[in-house]
Amino acid sequence: MSNEKSKGQQLREKLFYEPKHAADLISDEEITRADSFCEEYKSFLNRAKTEREAVKYIIEKAAKKGFVPFDRDKKYEAGDKVYLNNRGKAVILAVIGKNSLKQGVRLSAAHIDSPRLDLKPNPLYEDSELALFKTHYYGGIKKYQWATIPLSLHGVIVKKDGSSVEINIGEDENDPQFVITDLLPHLGNEQAKRTLGDGIRGEELNILIGSRPFKDDEASEKVKLNVLDILNRKYGVTEADFLSAELEAVPAFKATDIGFDRSLIGAYGHDDRVCAYPAAEAIFDIEDPLYTAVTVLTDKEEIGSEGNTGLNSSYLKYFISDLAWTQNINYHTVLSNTHCLSADVNAAFDPTFPDVSERKNASFVNKGVVITKYTGARGKSGTSDASAEYMGKIRKMLDENNIVWQTGELGKVDAGGGGTVAMFLAALDIDVVDLGVPVLSMHAPFEVISKLDLYMAYRAFKTFFEEK
Ligand code: MN
Ligand code: MN
Protein backbone atom coordinates (compact mmCIF):
# COMPACT_ATOMS: atom_id res chain seq x y z
CA MET A 1 0.00 0.00 0.00
CA SER A 2 1.35 3.38 -0.92
CA ASN A 3 0.75 6.39 1.30
CA GLU A 4 0.38 8.60 -1.71
CA LYS A 5 -3.05 9.83 -2.55
CA SER A 6 -4.43 8.80 -5.91
CA LYS A 7 -4.93 11.38 -8.62
CA GLY A 8 -8.64 11.24 -8.01
CA GLN A 9 -8.21 11.77 -4.28
CA GLN A 10 -5.94 14.75 -4.88
CA LEU A 11 -8.33 16.24 -7.40
CA ARG A 12 -11.23 15.71 -5.05
CA GLU A 13 -9.42 17.59 -2.29
CA LYS A 14 -8.76 20.43 -4.68
CA LEU A 15 -12.22 20.67 -6.20
CA PHE A 16 -14.79 19.57 -3.64
CA TYR A 17 -16.26 21.64 -0.80
CA GLU A 18 -16.36 19.34 2.20
CA PRO A 19 -16.53 20.94 5.66
CA LYS A 20 -14.71 18.87 8.28
CA HIS A 21 -14.76 18.43 12.04
CA ALA A 22 -12.82 21.31 13.57
CA ALA A 23 -10.81 18.88 15.72
CA ASP A 24 -9.32 17.39 12.52
CA LEU A 25 -8.24 20.80 11.28
CA ILE A 26 -6.68 22.51 14.29
CA SER A 27 -3.80 21.69 16.62
CA ASP A 28 -4.10 20.12 20.06
CA GLU A 29 -2.86 23.42 21.52
CA GLU A 30 -5.71 25.27 19.86
CA ILE A 31 -8.22 22.75 21.17
CA THR A 32 -6.86 23.37 24.67
CA ARG A 33 -7.16 27.14 24.14
CA ALA A 34 -10.76 26.65 22.99
CA ASP A 35 -11.62 24.58 26.06
CA SER A 36 -10.17 27.13 28.45
CA PHE A 37 -11.88 30.01 26.59
CA CYS A 38 -15.19 28.27 27.33
CA GLU A 39 -14.70 28.19 31.10
CA GLU A 40 -15.31 31.92 31.45
CA TYR A 41 -18.14 31.71 28.94
CA LYS A 42 -19.95 29.31 31.27
CA SER A 43 -19.60 31.70 34.19
CA PHE A 44 -20.89 34.53 31.96
CA LEU A 45 -23.95 32.40 31.14
CA ASN A 46 -24.59 31.76 34.83
CA ARG A 47 -24.25 35.42 35.75
CA ALA A 48 -26.02 36.98 32.76
CA LYS A 49 -29.32 35.27 32.08
CA THR A 50 -31.14 38.41 30.97
CA GLU A 51 -30.27 41.37 28.74
CA ARG A 52 -29.93 43.62 31.80
CA GLU A 53 -27.53 41.23 33.53
CA ALA A 54 -25.54 40.80 30.32
CA VAL A 55 -25.14 44.58 29.96
CA LYS A 56 -24.01 44.85 33.56
CA TYR A 57 -21.46 42.05 33.14
CA ILE A 58 -20.12 43.42 29.86
CA ILE A 59 -19.78 47.00 31.15
CA GLU A 60 -18.01 45.85 34.33
CA LYS A 61 -15.55 43.92 32.20
CA ALA A 62 -15.22 46.74 29.64
CA ALA A 63 -14.33 49.18 32.41
CA LYS A 64 -11.55 46.85 33.55
CA LYS A 65 -10.29 46.74 29.96
CA GLY A 66 -10.06 50.53 29.76
CA PHE A 67 -13.39 51.40 28.13
CA VAL A 68 -15.01 54.66 29.31
CA PRO A 69 -18.52 56.06 28.73
CA PHE A 70 -18.84 57.64 25.28
CA ASP A 71 -19.00 61.45 25.23
CA ARG A 72 -20.26 62.89 21.95
CA ASP A 73 -18.54 66.22 22.64
CA LYS A 74 -15.08 64.72 23.01
CA LYS A 75 -12.41 64.13 20.38
CA TYR A 76 -11.05 60.62 20.31
CA GLU A 77 -7.67 59.30 19.29
CA ALA A 78 -6.75 55.98 17.76
CA GLY A 79 -6.78 53.29 20.44
CA ASP A 80 -9.37 55.02 22.64
CA LYS A 81 -12.04 52.67 23.98
CA VAL A 82 -15.61 53.75 24.66
CA TYR A 83 -18.98 52.25 25.46
CA LEU A 84 -22.57 53.40 25.33
CA ASN A 85 -25.17 51.95 27.68
CA ASN A 86 -28.64 52.03 26.10
CA ARG A 87 -31.12 51.98 29.01
CA GLY A 88 -29.35 49.12 30.76
CA LYS A 89 -30.59 46.66 28.14
CA ALA A 90 -28.22 47.11 25.20
CA VAL A 91 -24.61 48.23 24.94
CA ILE A 92 -22.25 49.45 22.22
CA LEU A 93 -18.47 48.99 22.60
CA ALA A 94 -15.99 50.74 20.32
CA VAL A 95 -12.23 50.96 19.84
CA ILE A 96 -11.21 53.96 17.74
CA GLY A 97 -9.14 53.01 14.72
CA LYS A 98 -6.19 54.66 12.99
CA ASN A 99 -8.16 55.16 9.79
CA SER A 100 -10.58 58.01 9.34
CA LEU A 101 -14.16 56.99 10.03
CA LYS A 102 -14.77 57.86 6.38
CA GLN A 103 -13.52 54.36 5.64
CA GLY A 104 -16.27 52.84 7.74
CA VAL A 105 -16.16 50.71 10.86
CA ARG A 106 -15.87 46.98 11.43
CA LEU A 107 -19.06 46.12 13.25
CA SER A 108 -20.23 42.97 15.00
CA ALA A 109 -23.82 42.78 16.21
CA ALA A 110 -25.23 40.15 18.53
CA HIS A 111 -28.29 40.04 20.77
CA ILE A 112 -28.42 39.43 24.51
CA ASP A 113 -32.15 38.79 24.97
CA SER A 114 -33.34 35.17 24.95
CA PRO A 115 -36.73 33.46 24.90
CA ARG A 116 -38.29 33.36 28.37
CA LEU A 117 -41.46 33.92 30.38
CA ASP A 118 -42.23 37.53 31.31
CA LEU A 119 -44.56 38.18 34.22
CA LYS A 120 -47.79 39.90 33.19
CA PRO A 121 -48.24 43.48 34.47
CA ASN A 122 -50.67 42.22 37.15
CA PRO A 123 -49.31 38.72 37.70
CA LEU A 124 -50.08 37.61 41.24
CA TYR A 125 -53.12 35.52 42.18
CA GLU A 126 -54.26 32.80 44.52
CA ASP A 127 -56.26 29.75 43.52
CA SER A 128 -57.07 26.80 45.79
CA GLU A 129 -54.62 28.08 48.38
CA LEU A 130 -51.72 28.17 45.95
CA ALA A 131 -50.10 31.46 44.92
CA LEU A 132 -49.14 31.82 41.27
CA PHE A 133 -47.76 34.29 38.72
CA LYS A 134 -49.41 34.77 35.32
CA THR A 135 -46.87 35.01 32.49
CA HIS A 136 -46.72 36.11 28.87
CA TYR A 137 -43.99 34.31 26.98
CA TYR A 138 -41.30 36.32 25.18
CA GLY A 139 -39.92 35.07 21.86
CA GLY A 140 -40.49 31.79 20.09
CA ILE A 141 -40.83 28.94 22.56
CA LYS A 142 -42.25 25.42 22.59
CA LYS A 143 -44.45 26.02 25.61
CA TYR A 144 -44.54 22.42 26.83
CA GLN A 145 -40.76 22.58 27.42
CA TRP A 146 -41.19 25.20 30.15
CA ALA A 147 -43.30 23.16 32.58
CA THR A 148 -41.73 21.11 35.40
CA ILE A 149 -38.29 22.70 35.19
CA PRO A 150 -36.76 24.86 37.93
CA LEU A 151 -37.18 28.56 37.19
CA SER A 152 -35.49 31.64 38.58
CA LEU A 153 -36.81 35.19 38.57
CA HIS A 154 -34.79 38.15 37.29
CA GLY A 155 -35.50 41.80 36.64
CA VAL A 156 -36.37 45.14 38.09
CA ILE A 157 -39.32 46.64 39.97
CA VAL A 158 -39.85 50.40 39.94
CA LYS A 159 -41.74 51.34 43.08
CA LYS A 160 -44.41 53.97 43.63
CA ASP A 161 -41.81 56.47 44.90
CA GLY A 162 -39.72 56.02 41.72
CA SER A 163 -36.94 54.02 43.35
CA SER A 164 -36.14 50.63 41.87
CA VAL A 165 -35.11 47.25 43.19
CA GLU A 166 -33.25 44.57 41.31
CA ILE A 167 -34.55 41.04 41.57
CA ASN A 168 -32.50 37.86 41.17
CA ILE A 169 -34.00 34.86 42.97
CA GLY A 170 -33.27 31.24 42.26
CA GLU A 171 -29.65 31.30 41.10
CA ASP A 172 -27.89 31.12 44.46
CA GLU A 173 -27.92 27.62 45.91
CA ASN A 174 -29.61 28.94 49.06
CA ASP A 175 -32.41 30.60 47.06
CA PRO A 176 -35.85 29.13 46.52
CA GLN A 177 -36.85 28.42 42.91
CA PHE A 178 -40.15 28.37 41.05
CA VAL A 179 -41.94 25.96 38.73
CA ILE A 180 -44.82 25.54 36.30
CA THR A 181 -46.83 22.40 37.07
CA ASP A 182 -48.08 19.85 34.54
CA LEU A 183 -50.64 17.05 34.68
CA LEU A 184 -49.63 13.58 35.78
CA PRO A 185 -49.78 11.08 32.88
CA HIS A 186 -52.45 9.09 34.72
CA LEU A 187 -54.87 11.99 34.25
CA GLY A 188 -53.39 13.28 31.02
CA ASN A 189 -55.54 11.37 28.53
CA GLU A 190 -57.37 14.43 27.23
CA GLN A 191 -54.25 16.59 27.29
CA ALA A 192 -52.37 13.92 25.32
CA LYS A 193 -54.83 14.42 22.45
CA ARG A 194 -53.75 18.03 22.08
CA THR A 195 -51.18 18.89 19.42
CA LEU A 196 -47.61 19.25 20.72
CA GLY A 197 -47.73 23.03 20.22
CA ASP A 198 -50.88 23.12 22.31
CA GLY A 199 -49.68 20.66 24.99
CA ILE A 200 -49.22 23.47 27.48
CA ARG A 201 -51.14 26.60 26.51
CA GLY A 202 -50.08 30.20 26.98
CA GLU A 203 -52.55 30.78 29.80
CA GLU A 204 -51.35 27.56 31.47
CA LEU A 205 -47.82 28.90 31.91
CA ASN A 206 -48.58 29.85 35.53
CA ILE A 207 -45.65 29.83 37.93
CA LEU A 208 -46.09 28.34 41.40
CA ILE A 209 -44.68 30.75 43.99
CA GLY A 210 -46.19 29.84 47.38
CA SER A 211 -48.63 27.79 49.42
CA ARG A 212 -48.61 28.89 53.07
CA PRO A 213 -51.29 31.26 54.41
CA PHE A 214 -50.80 34.45 56.36
CA LYS A 215 -51.94 33.63 59.91
CA ASP A 216 -55.15 35.57 60.26
CA ASP A 217 -58.65 34.11 60.61
CA GLU A 218 -60.41 37.03 58.95
CA ALA A 219 -58.46 37.86 55.80
CA SER A 220 -59.14 36.22 52.43
CA GLU A 221 -56.52 35.15 49.85
CA LYS A 222 -54.16 34.49 52.69
CA VAL A 223 -51.51 32.67 50.64
CA LYS A 224 -51.27 35.59 48.22
CA LEU A 225 -51.19 37.93 51.22
CA ASN A 226 -48.33 35.96 52.75
CA VAL A 227 -46.31 36.14 49.51
CA LEU A 228 -46.90 39.89 49.27
CA ASP A 229 -45.92 40.27 52.92
CA ILE A 230 -42.62 38.48 52.24
CA LEU A 231 -41.97 40.66 49.17
CA ASN A 232 -42.94 43.80 51.06
CA ARG A 233 -40.62 43.04 53.94
CA LYS A 234 -37.74 42.08 51.65
CA TYR A 235 -38.09 44.65 48.85
CA GLY A 236 -40.63 47.20 50.10
CA VAL A 237 -42.98 46.46 47.19
CA THR A 238 -46.79 46.27 47.02
CA GLU A 239 -48.95 44.53 44.43
CA ALA A 240 -49.35 47.70 42.33
CA ASP A 241 -45.56 47.87 41.90
CA PHE A 242 -45.70 44.88 39.54
CA LEU A 243 -47.29 47.26 37.03
CA SER A 244 -43.98 49.10 36.70
CA ALA A 245 -41.71 46.06 36.65
CA GLU A 246 -39.90 43.90 34.16
CA LEU A 247 -39.65 40.44 35.70
CA GLU A 248 -38.42 37.52 33.65
CA ALA A 249 -38.66 33.86 34.61
CA VAL A 250 -35.79 31.86 33.12
CA PRO A 251 -34.48 28.31 33.60
CA ALA A 252 -32.52 28.03 36.84
CA PHE A 253 -30.06 25.50 35.36
CA LYS A 254 -26.35 26.23 35.41
CA ALA A 255 -24.22 25.92 32.30
CA THR A 256 -22.54 22.53 32.21
CA ASP A 257 -20.26 20.42 30.04
CA ILE A 258 -22.11 17.81 28.00
CA GLY A 259 -20.70 14.49 26.86
CA PHE A 260 -18.06 12.06 28.16
CA ASP A 261 -15.54 14.06 26.12
CA ARG A 262 -16.82 17.40 27.52
CA SER A 263 -16.91 18.74 23.95
CA LEU A 264 -20.25 20.52 24.29
CA ILE A 265 -21.90 23.01 26.64
CA GLY A 266 -25.52 22.78 27.71
CA ALA A 267 -27.11 25.96 29.05
CA TYR A 268 -29.98 28.38 28.90
CA GLY A 269 -29.55 31.32 26.52
CA HIS A 270 -26.79 30.28 24.11
CA ASP A 271 -28.95 32.10 21.52
CA ASP A 272 -27.39 34.56 21.31
CA ARG A 273 -24.93 34.86 24.18
CA VAL A 274 -22.76 32.31 22.39
CA CYS A 275 -22.15 35.06 19.79
CA ALA A 276 -22.44 38.09 22.10
CA TYR A 277 -19.70 36.76 24.38
CA PRO A 278 -17.03 36.15 21.70
CA ALA A 279 -17.96 39.43 19.94
CA ALA A 280 -17.35 41.27 23.23
CA GLU A 281 -14.19 39.30 24.06
CA ALA A 282 -12.81 40.01 20.59
CA ILE A 283 -13.21 43.77 20.97
CA PHE A 284 -11.73 43.56 24.49
CA ASP A 285 -8.65 41.85 23.06
CA ILE A 286 -7.76 44.18 20.19
CA GLU A 287 -5.30 47.05 20.42
CA ASP A 288 -4.87 49.89 17.92
CA PRO A 289 -7.01 48.56 15.07
CA LEU A 290 -6.78 50.12 11.62
CA TYR A 291 -10.55 50.42 11.29
CA THR A 292 -12.69 51.56 14.21
CA ALA A 293 -14.10 48.40 15.75
CA VAL A 294 -17.64 48.35 17.13
CA THR A 295 -19.57 45.60 18.90
CA VAL A 296 -23.25 46.18 19.55
CA LEU A 297 -25.03 43.84 21.95
CA THR A 298 -28.69 44.47 21.43
CA ASP A 299 -32.01 43.66 23.03
CA LYS A 300 -35.41 42.65 21.60
CA GLU A 301 -34.15 40.50 18.72
CA GLU A 302 -36.34 37.62 19.83
CA ILE A 303 -39.49 39.69 19.33
CA GLY A 304 -38.51 41.30 16.03
CA SER A 305 -35.96 43.94 17.14
CA GLU A 306 -38.73 46.46 17.90
CA GLY A 307 -38.52 48.85 20.85
CA ASN A 308 -35.86 51.45 21.62
CA THR A 309 -33.36 48.87 22.82
CA GLY A 310 -33.77 46.74 19.66
CA LEU A 311 -31.76 47.19 16.47
CA ASN A 312 -34.78 48.39 14.53
CA SER A 313 -34.54 51.59 16.58
CA SER A 314 -32.07 54.36 15.78
CA TYR A 315 -29.68 54.02 18.69
CA LEU A 316 -26.87 52.42 16.70
CA LYS A 317 -27.30 54.96 13.90
CA TYR A 318 -27.21 57.81 16.43
CA PHE A 319 -24.05 56.40 18.01
CA ILE A 320 -22.34 56.16 14.60
CA SER A 321 -23.61 59.65 13.83
CA ASP A 322 -22.15 61.03 17.08
CA LEU A 323 -18.90 59.20 16.40
CA ALA A 324 -18.78 60.66 12.87
CA TRP A 325 -19.43 64.11 14.34
CA THR A 326 -16.25 63.84 16.43
CA GLN A 327 -14.35 63.68 13.10
CA ASN A 328 -16.58 66.15 11.20
CA ILE A 329 -17.82 63.47 8.82
CA ASN A 330 -21.30 62.71 7.52
CA TYR A 331 -22.59 59.67 9.36
CA HIS A 332 -23.97 58.09 6.20
CA THR A 333 -20.47 58.03 4.73
CA VAL A 334 -19.40 55.96 7.74
CA LEU A 335 -22.38 53.61 7.46
CA SER A 336 -22.06 53.08 3.70
CA ASN A 337 -18.45 51.95 4.15
CA THR A 338 -19.11 49.78 7.18
CA HIS A 339 -18.67 46.02 7.15
CA CYS A 340 -20.67 43.96 9.60
CA LEU A 341 -20.85 40.46 10.97
CA SER A 342 -24.36 39.94 12.24
CA ALA A 343 -23.47 37.52 15.00
CA ASP A 344 -26.29 35.09 15.47
CA VAL A 345 -26.77 31.37 15.83
CA ASN A 346 -28.00 28.87 13.27
CA ALA A 347 -29.84 25.58 13.72
CA ALA A 348 -27.37 22.71 13.93
CA PHE A 349 -28.25 19.52 12.07
CA ASP A 350 -29.89 17.08 14.50
CA PRO A 351 -29.62 13.39 13.50
CA THR A 352 -32.77 12.66 15.50
CA PHE A 353 -34.73 15.14 13.38
CA PRO A 354 -33.01 15.05 9.97
CA ASP A 355 -36.14 15.80 7.95
CA VAL A 356 -36.20 19.56 8.56
CA SER A 357 -32.69 20.08 7.17
CA GLU A 358 -31.13 19.74 3.77
CA ARG A 359 -27.76 18.16 4.51
CA LYS A 360 -25.70 19.93 1.86
CA ASN A 361 -26.69 23.33 3.26
CA ALA A 362 -27.21 22.63 6.95
CA SER A 363 -24.72 23.61 9.62
CA PHE A 364 -23.25 20.93 11.90
CA VAL A 365 -22.01 21.10 15.44
CA ASN A 366 -18.17 21.10 15.51
CA LYS A 367 -17.67 22.11 11.88
CA GLY A 368 -16.79 25.63 12.90
CA VAL A 369 -18.38 29.02 12.74
CA VAL A 370 -21.35 29.13 10.38
CA ILE A 371 -21.85 31.78 7.71
CA THR A 372 -25.51 32.17 6.84
CA LYS A 373 -25.95 34.04 3.56
CA TYR A 374 -29.65 34.51 4.13
CA THR A 375 -32.34 33.53 6.63
CA GLY A 376 -36.00 34.43 6.12
CA ALA A 377 -38.90 32.26 5.03
CA ARG A 378 -41.06 31.49 1.99
CA GLY A 379 -38.63 32.44 -0.76
CA LYS A 380 -36.16 34.48 1.31
CA SER A 381 -38.76 36.90 2.66
CA GLY A 382 -37.61 38.96 5.63
CA THR A 383 -33.86 38.66 5.25
CA SER A 384 -30.77 40.50 4.12
CA ASP A 385 -29.34 38.25 1.43
CA ALA A 386 -25.58 38.91 1.58
CA SER A 387 -23.86 39.66 -1.74
CA ALA A 388 -21.43 37.26 -3.43
CA GLU A 389 -18.76 39.94 -3.06
CA TYR A 390 -19.22 40.25 0.68
CA MET A 391 -19.47 36.47 1.17
CA GLY A 392 -16.24 36.23 -0.82
CA LYS A 393 -14.48 38.74 1.38
CA ILE A 394 -15.49 37.00 4.63
CA ARG A 395 -14.68 33.54 3.27
CA LYS A 396 -11.22 34.69 2.23
CA MET A 397 -10.60 36.22 5.65
CA LEU A 398 -11.59 33.00 7.42
CA ASP A 399 -9.55 30.75 5.11
CA GLU A 400 -6.42 32.91 5.28
CA ASN A 401 -6.53 32.81 9.07
CA ASN A 402 -7.25 29.09 9.45
CA ILE A 403 -10.61 29.71 11.07
CA VAL A 404 -12.79 26.64 10.68
CA TRP A 405 -16.07 27.63 9.05
CA GLN A 406 -19.05 26.19 7.26
CA THR A 407 -22.15 27.44 5.54
CA GLY A 408 -25.68 27.04 6.80
CA GLU A 409 -29.28 27.58 5.89
CA LEU A 410 -32.05 27.82 8.48
CA GLY A 411 -33.71 24.52 7.55
CA LYS A 412 -35.08 23.13 4.32
CA VAL A 413 -36.84 25.37 1.85
CA ASP A 414 -40.35 26.02 3.20
CA ALA A 415 -39.71 24.00 6.38
CA GLY A 416 -40.12 27.19 8.40
CA GLY A 417 -37.63 30.00 8.82
CA GLY A 418 -36.58 32.93 10.93
CA GLY A 419 -34.70 36.19 10.90
CA THR A 420 -31.81 38.02 12.52
CA VAL A 421 -30.73 41.63 12.97
CA ALA A 422 -28.88 41.50 9.62
CA MET A 423 -31.78 43.08 7.75
CA PHE A 424 -31.84 46.12 10.05
CA LEU A 425 -28.12 46.66 9.50
CA ALA A 426 -28.50 46.24 5.75
CA ALA A 427 -31.22 48.91 5.93
CA LEU A 428 -28.49 51.33 7.07
CA ASP A 429 -26.57 50.62 3.83
CA ILE A 430 -24.07 48.41 5.67
CA ASP A 431 -22.54 45.30 4.10
CA VAL A 432 -23.58 42.45 6.36
CA VAL A 433 -23.72 38.68 6.66
CA ASP A 434 -24.75 36.40 9.51
CA LEU A 435 -21.90 34.57 11.21
CA GLY A 436 -22.33 32.57 14.38
CA VAL A 437 -22.42 29.28 16.18
CA PRO A 438 -24.63 26.24 15.38
CA VAL A 439 -27.02 25.33 18.21
CA LEU A 440 -28.88 22.12 19.04
CA SER A 441 -32.32 22.49 20.68
CA MET A 442 -32.38 26.20 19.85
CA HIS A 443 -34.84 28.23 21.96
CA ALA A 444 -35.28 25.34 24.41
CA PRO A 445 -34.69 26.01 28.12
CA PHE A 446 -31.42 24.07 27.78
CA GLU A 447 -29.58 24.55 24.47
CA VAL A 448 -26.37 22.85 23.32
CA ILE A 449 -23.32 24.23 21.49
CA SER A 450 -19.79 23.00 20.73
CA LYS A 451 -16.77 24.50 22.44
CA LEU A 452 -14.71 24.48 19.24
CA ASP A 453 -17.41 26.36 17.32
CA LEU A 454 -17.58 29.03 20.01
CA TYR A 455 -13.81 29.48 19.92
CA MET A 456 -13.87 29.75 16.13
CA ALA A 457 -16.49 32.51 16.47
CA TYR A 458 -14.17 34.40 18.81
CA ARG A 459 -11.30 34.04 16.34
CA ALA A 460 -13.53 35.17 13.47
CA PHE A 461 -14.59 38.38 15.25
CA LYS A 462 -11.07 39.16 16.38
CA THR A 463 -9.61 38.61 12.91
CA PHE A 464 -12.41 40.74 11.41
CA PHE A 465 -11.55 43.60 13.77
CA GLU A 466 -7.84 43.28 13.02
CA GLU A 467 -8.24 43.75 9.25
CA LYS A 468 -5.15 45.28 7.70
MN1 MN B 1 -30.61 34.66 17.79
MN1 MN C 1 -33.47 33.23 18.69
Side-chain angles (χ1 to χ4, degrees):
M1 282 275 288
S2 139
N3 282 333
E4 265 183 33
K5 287 175 182 159
S6 74
K7 205 173 166 197
Q9 278 172 322
Q10 288 173 32
L11 201 56
R12 191 188 158 106
E13 270 177 25
K14 187 176 159 195
L15 299 181
F16 280 19
Y17 165 65
E18 290 176 314
K20 293 188 184 70
H21 196 297
D24 292 334
L25 297 171
I26 63 176
S27 65
D28 289 347
E29 293 74 45
E30 191 159 20
I31 292 174
T32 306
R33 276 200 295 280
D35 288 347
S36 72
F37 181 84
C38 290
E39 289 306 304
E40 201 174 329
Y41 172 61
K42 285 186 280 180
S43 89
F44 166 70
L45 287 173
N46 293 339
R47 279 188 50 200
K49 290 197 173 178
T50 66
E51 59 286 345
R52 287 177 191 271
E53 291 169 355
V55 166
K56 218 171 140 186
Y57 179 103
I58 294 294
I59 288 181
E60 269 176 35
K61 193 154 184 187
K64 282 184 203 145
K65 300 273 181 179
F67 286 71
V68 296
F70 177 64
D71 177 352
R72 71 184 70 183
D73 298 319
K74 254 195 84 176
K75 294 271 175 228
Y76 288 100
E77 317 243 309
D80 284 351
K81 300 174 176 190
V82 296
Y83 70 84
L84 181 127
N85 178 347
N86 180 6
R87 298 169 171 87
K89 301 206 280 184
V91 60
I92 302 173
L93 304 156
V95 180
I96 309 302
K98 292 182 204 142
N99 280 346
S100 158
L101 281 165
K102 266 183 197 161
Q103 296 178 56
V105 308
R106 294 294 174 264
L107 172 67
S108 68
H111 66 93
I112 46 177
D113 61 321
S114 296
R116 60 179 190 251
L117 306 174
D118 286 348
L119 296 201
K120 290 195 184 192
N122 186 21
L124 178 57
Y125 70 105
E126 173 175 339
D127 192 339
S128 315
E129 297 184 276
L130 295 175
L132 300 118
F133 276 147
K134 295 296 295 179
T135 67
H136 195 139
Y137 65 96
Y138 172 100
I141 62 166
K142 292 163 95 173
K143 299 180 200 76
Y144 72 87
Q145 294 178 333
W146 292 72
T148 69
I149 60 167
L151 298 171
S152 59
L153 198 64
H154 300 241
V156 63
I157 303 177
V158 177
K159 296 193 272 190
K160 197 176 178 180
D161 65 2
S163 66
S164 67
V165 279
E166 263 180 54
I167 305 290
N168 183 319
I169 311 168
E171 298 296 338
D172 189 280
E173 62 181 58
N174 298 310
D175 282 355
Q177 297 179 335
F178 311 97
V179 72
I180 291 165
T181 57
D182 193 1
L183 270 180
L184 60 170
H186 318 64
L187 298 178
N189 289 346
E190 284 306 311
Q191 185 194 31
K193 291 177 194 159
R194 297 180 186 181
T195 59
L196 190 60
D198 200 35
I200 295 281
R201 295 178 178 140
E203 291 292 353
E204 293 170 346
L205 291 169
N206 303 319
I207 304 174
L208 185 58
I209 55 162
S211 69
R212 253 182 218 174
F214 187 83
K215 286 214 171 172
D216 179 339
D217 291 345
E218 302 302 316
S220 61
E221 297 182 279
K222 285 185 280 192
V223 177
K224 170 177 165 177
L225 182 62
N226 194 43
V227 165
L228 273 174
D229 184 47
I230 292 167
L231 293 175
N232 184 262
R233 278 188 281 119
K234 184 151 189 206
Y235 302 107
V237 299
T238 66
E239 190 176 14
D241 293 332
F242 283 116
L243 295 172
S244 46
E246 284 182 331
L247 293 169
E248 308 173 2
V250 301
F253 317 131
K254 301 279 182 241
T256 181
D257 287 349
I258 296 285
F260 291 112
D261 55 10
R262 296 182 170 263
S263 57
L264 307 160
I265 301 172
Y268 164 69
H270 282 310
D271 177 10
D272 185 31
R273 291 180 186 87
V274 74
C275 299
Y277 182 79
E281 287 295 309
I283 203 165
F284 290 154
D285 289 350
I286 51 164
E287 300 288 343
D288 299 318
L290 194 55
Y291 293 90
T292 294
V294 178
T295 287
V296 55
L297 304 179
T298 195
D299 182 27
K300 293 282 180 279
E301 193 277 339
E302 295 295 357
I303 57 168
S305 297
E306 311 293 349
N308 58 12
T309 51
L311 263 197
N312 198 19
S313 98
S314 296
Y315 77 90
L316 176 67
K317 185 169 77 181
Y318 290 165
F319 173 77
I320 297 289
S321 173
D322 286 340
L323 210 55
W325 180 253
T326 66
Q327 295 186 8
N328 300 314
I329 298 164
N330 276 323
Y331 77 91
H332 56 79
T333 309
V334 184
L335 290 170
S336 301
N337 291 316
T338 286
H339 291 174
C340 178
L341 296 177
S342 163
D344 210 342
V345 298
N346 199 332
F349 180 86
D350 185 337
T352 305
F353 302 101
D355 295 348
V356 299
S357 301
E358 184 267 291
R359 271 178 180 266
K360 280 185 70 66
N361 288 281
S363 63
F364 292 78
V365 156
N366 277 317
K367 290 194 176 175
V369 70
V370 50
I371 311 179
T372 306
K373 187 175 184 293
Y374 52 84
T375 56
R378 299 172 309 280
K380 299 190 178 181
S381 270
T383 185
S384 147
D385 193 355
S387 68
E389 289 82 358
Y390 193 60
M391 287 289 288
K393 179 193 146 72
I394 298 302
R395 176 188 158 202
K396 184 163 175 279
M397 172 193 89
L398 297 171
D399 278 340
E400 284 175 356
N401 292 280
N402 299 317
I403 297 166
V404 184
W405 65 275
Q406 57 184 324
T407 185
E409 228 186 355
L410 192 59
K412 262 184 185 169
V413 177
D414 289 340
T420 65
V421 297
M423 58 194 279
F424 303 109
L425 297 156
L428 296 171
D429 196 30
I430 290 173
D431 275 310
V432 59
V433 68
D434 282 302
L435 179 145
V437 174
V439 177
L440 288 165
S441 309
M442 194 199 293
H443 282 207
F446 196 72
E447 304 173 311
V448 177
I449 60 103
S450 135
K451 292 181 178 178
L452 297 182
D453 295 338
L454 166 55
Y455 189 65
M456 287 300 140
Y458 164 75
R459 287 207 49 221
F461 299 128
K462 186 149 182 284
T463 305
F464 177 70
F465 287 143
E466 287 171 339
E467 182 178 332
K468 294 287 175 254

